[in-house]
Amino acid sequence: MFIGRTRELNSLKEVYNKKGFGMTIIYGRRRIGKSALIAEFLKGKKAVFYTATKVGAEKNAELFAKQALAVLDPNYAEAKFSSIETVLDIITQKCGKEKIVIVIDELPYWAEKDEPLLSILQKYIDTQWAKKNIMLILCGSSLSFMESKILSEKSPIFGRRDNQIKLDAFNYKEAALFVPNYSTEDKAICYGVTGGVAKYLSLFDKKKTLDENIKNLFFNPNGYLFDETKNLLTQEFSDTTLANNVIEQIASGENNLNNIASKVKERESTVLYCLEKLMEVDLVEKRKCVTEEKNKKKTQYVLKDTMFKFWYKFIPAAYSLIEIGQGEMYYKTFVKPHLHSFMGSVFENMCRTYTLEKGAQGKLGSFVTNVGTYWGVEQIVDESGNKAQQSFDIDVVGISDIDKTSVIGECKFKNEKIDKNVYELLTRRAAAISGKYPIKKYILFSLKGFTKWFETLQDKNTILITLDKMYL
């Protein structure tokens, strides 16, 4: 069953329904659901769907020809062609009044080894296909190639697309559609261990409990996600050792370049190159302090894919145990008791998503256009009057670049209710933001709710949000 992606499907339908030629570019990291989206869109339509592979230019052209002609004219299916232009000429001739969709999936595999390919496509788009009832979909998993070779101004096909779709992971609400009968807590954890990645969410059996699914997928030597991180890194990196070591450090909490380089015992330039590659494949992201984005010193590298974070936190220490069939006991004893701790940063990200959505709807007193986190250093005074400095962060900072106001929030994914100390801490640290962006609302997000102290709180600018409310 296909789930979600309504906006993307509507975007594809708009191009399909226009008269004459139309083109859509689709790109996104592996496992994100690009091929599934295209397959859903193509239902009931006449289409050529070719997935390129790493077999070289000539072989890809041959396989594409076979696939295309099997659909357009089976009499030509076994014919051999001297050039890709000959195949495209036949496709042009066979296109009549009925709309035909031509899909080249994993385009980088072909185009990287066939430099003239994009220029040839440009020629046909501009001339023979200009008034033909053709929709062309070009799709790829290599974000750097798609952005630099397909979408950039230097691309031969630049300016010829009708739209582009960068497919991202599902947000926490969309991910919940895969497990509709779970409690909100289990939906959130499911989102956390899958990172909202379509392929991983599709593996969850709705008839099984959250624990059963996690055990089967991660802590079983035959589980799909038991070796998934290694499989993905092998596909993206010729040498996976450094990438693995860098991810391991980020997963353990190291988030600046200097510390990561020191831990993996490599030069900063070498680690930086690896980090840039990890960002290109959408596994790592660079996070900046939301009110100081030009401050290069305030930059953190974090795992964008929380499935990777979960895997590196729990799997390496028990890899051998899992291989000999002891994964279920390990999960029950050492993983499940720490799921709430793991979910801390995931929940913060969920709360930032909620804040951006509600802020953009005008429901938080500030028209939020940007959301992030803030970190810095504050001075504290102990009971004896001694002064000291300590680092701190604010989990959620929503900024309005329109009216220069803000909302700030604190998030707790714990088996206990939030008490007044969390409120007092947030309002005290608000000074770090309020000088630049006056604060309209304080938001407290809690898994288990709030103590009775909040019933007496006379502060109309404080909003209390439970996990259940986040899913409404």
Side-chain angles (χ1 to χ4, degrees):
M1 183 175 66
F2 186 81
I3 294 174
R5 305 300 192 197
T6 303
R7 185 173 63 251
E8 290 83 357
L9 284 171
N10 288 337
S11 183
L12 288 166
K13 288 175 184 176
E14 285 181 12
V15 178
Y16 181 82
N17 290 332
K18 68 171 283 192
K19 291 183 179 179
F21 178 81
M23 180 169 69
T24 294
I25 309 296
I26 301 176
Y27 65 114
R29 56 154 289 189
R30 298 182 192 281
R31 317 290 198 261
I32 212 70
K34 301 182 298 299
S35 298
L37 169 67
I38 296 170
E40 179 68 16
F41 166 69
L42 292 179
K43 286 181 177 177
K45 299 176 177 67
K46 188 175 184 180
V48 174
F49 193 148
Y50 176 65
T51 301
T53 55
K54 294 180 179 181
V55 292
E58 290 185 10
K59 190 64 176 178
N60 270 310
E62 177 188 330
L63 294 173
F64 171 72
K66 190 172 184 178
Q67 183 73 25
L69 295 170
V71 173
L72 299 174
D73 192 340
N75 293 326
Y76 280 93
E78 299 302 323
K80 302 292 183 180
F81 300 94
S82 58
S83 68
I84 186 65
E85 288 99 324
T86 307
V87 181
L88 297 179
D89 284 337
I90 294 175
I91 290 175
T92 306
Q93 294 167 13
K94 296 297 179 182
C95 288
K97 293 182 179 180
E98 183 183 8
K99 176 80 81 172
I100 181 168
V101 185
I102 300 172
V103 181
I104 304 178
D105 198 2
E106 295 300 355
L107 173 67
Y109 287 155
W110 184 353
E112 283 176 341
K113 301 297 183 182
D114 191 350
E115 190 172 331
L117 178 63
L118 296 179
S119 296
I120 292 170
L121 286 174
Q122 175 212 335
K123 180 180 72 174
Y124 279 81
I125 291 168
D126 290 348
T127 57
Q128 298 191 50
W129 292 355
K131 295 183 180 180
K132 288 290 185 180
N133 224 5
I134 293 174
M135 179 180 179
L136 177 64
I137 299 176
L138 302 178
C139 181
S141 298
S142 173
L143 274 68
S144 60
F145 184 93
M146 296 299 290
E147 290 173 349
S148 64
K149 302 295 185 181
I150 305 297
L151 296 170
S152 77
E153 293 181 5
K154 296 179 181 179
S155 171
I157 58 174
F158 177 76
R160 290 158 178 83
R161 68 186 184 278
D162 290 87
N163 58 16
Q164 65 191 60
I165 298 172
K166 184 179 186 297
L167 212 59
D168 289 315
F170 289 106
N171 66 32
Y172 73 93
K173 277 188 176 180
E174 295 165 334
L177 299 174
F178 287 81
V179 285
N181 297 324
Y182 279 13
S183 67
T184 54
E185 182 175 344
D186 284 355
K187 286 176 181 177
I189 295 172
C190 174
Y191 169 71
V193 302
T194 62
V197 173
K199 175 63 179 179
Y200 309 151
L201 286 165
S202 70
L203 298 171
F204 268 64
D205 186 338
K206 289 182 288 189
K207 297 178 181 179
K208 294 181 179 177
T209 66
L210 173 72
D211 289 332
E212 288 172 334
N213 275 306
I214 294 176
K215 285 185 292 186
N216 290 343
L217 292 171
F218 286 96
F219 299 95
N220 177 336
N222 300 317
Y224 184 93
L225 296 175
F226 174 58
D227 264 337
E228 173 64 357
T229 58
K230 293 181 179 181
N231 294 335
L232 266 180
L233 292 180
T234 299
Q235 288 177 307
E236 300 289 358
F237 294 85
S238 55
D239 179 6
T240 62
T241 303
L242 180 58
N244 179 75
N245 291 342
V246 168
I247 293 174
E248 193 173 56
Q249 292 306 317
I250 297 174
S252 69
E254 299 294 348
N255 52 36
N256 70 66
L257 176 60
N258 181 269
N259 288 354
I260 296 169
S262 176
K263 292 285 187 178
V264 301
K265 296 180 172 56
E266 292 282 358
R267 291 181 302 175
E268 287 189 13
S269 58
T270 302
V271 173
L272 182 60
Y273 178 82
C274 180
L275 286 167
E276 289 172 346
K277 176 65 175 175
L278 288 166
M279 287 189 286
E280 284 179 7
V281 297
D282 245 15
L283 297 179
V284 168
E285 65 180 342
K286 185 190 291 185
R287 179 177 294 168
K288 293 183 178 293
C289 190
V290 71
T291 61
E292 302 179 40
E293 293 192 349
K294 294 182 180 179
N295 186 347
K296 293 182 179 180
K297 293 182 179 179
K298 283 199 169 185
T299 298
Q300 297 178 341
Y301 294 94
V302 297
L303 285 177
K304 187 174 182 180
D305 187 335
T306 55
M307 185 282 287
F308 267 68
K309 182 167 183 157
F310 180 80
W311 194 98
Y312 277 86
K313 183 176 180 65
F314 295 113
I315 301 294
Y319 200 88
S320 297
L321 280 177
I322 298 169
E323 285 190 315
I324 63 171
Q326 295 301 310
E328 183 172 350
M329 181 59 69
Y330 172 75
Y331 172 77
K332 180 179 179 181
T333 308
F334 296 103
V335 179
K336 188 172 173 59
H338 296 98
L339 280 178
H340 282 183
S341 175
F342 160 76
M343 282 294 297
S345 60
V346 177
F347 187 51
E348 291 172 13
N349 187 56
M350 292 168 58
C351 297
R352 287 189 281 270
T353 299
Y354 178 91
T355 300
L356 183 60
E357 178 187 337
K358 297 301 180 183
Q361 293 171 358
K363 296 181 178 180
L364 299 179
S366 175
F367 190 81
V368 177
T369 56
N370 183 28
V371 66
T373 185
Y374 178 90
W375 64 92
V377 176
E378 64 179 348
Q379 190 175 75
I380 59 171
V381 181
D382 63 21
E383 295 178 353
S384 303
N386 298 316
K387 296 180 179 179
Q389 287 190 328
Q390 68 175 16
S391 59
F392 77 99
D393 61 67
I394 300 175
D395 298 336
V396 178
V397 180
I399 299 294
S400 173
D401 291 315
I402 297 173
D403 58 17
K404 304 302 179 184
T405 59
S406 67
V407 298
I408 64 172
E410 189 72 15
C411 319
K412 301 294 179 187
F413 199 89
K414 295 183 177 180
N415 270 326
E416 58 188 43
K417 295 181 178 181
I418 285 183
D419 201 1
K420 69 174 183 177
N421 63 309
V422 177
Y423 166 80
E424 291 171 347
L425 199 64
L426 179 62
T427 52
R428 188 186 82 209
R429 291 172 173 172
I433 305 296
S434 59
K436 293 182 179 180
Y437 298 91
I439 296 169
K440 291 292 186 179
K441 298 291 181 183
Y442 301 97
I443 313 174
L444 298 178
F445 297 90
S446 175
L447 169 64
K448 293 298 183 181
F450 307 87
T451 64
K452 290 185 177 181
W453 178 84
F454 285 92
E455 295 175 6
T456 65
L457 179 63
Q458 300 296 314
D459 184 352
K460 294 181 180 179
N461 290 325
T462 296
I463 302 173
L464 308 180
I465 305 292
T466 61
L467 180 64
D468 288 343
K469 189 173 182 179
M470 290 175 66
Y471 278 95
L472 293 177

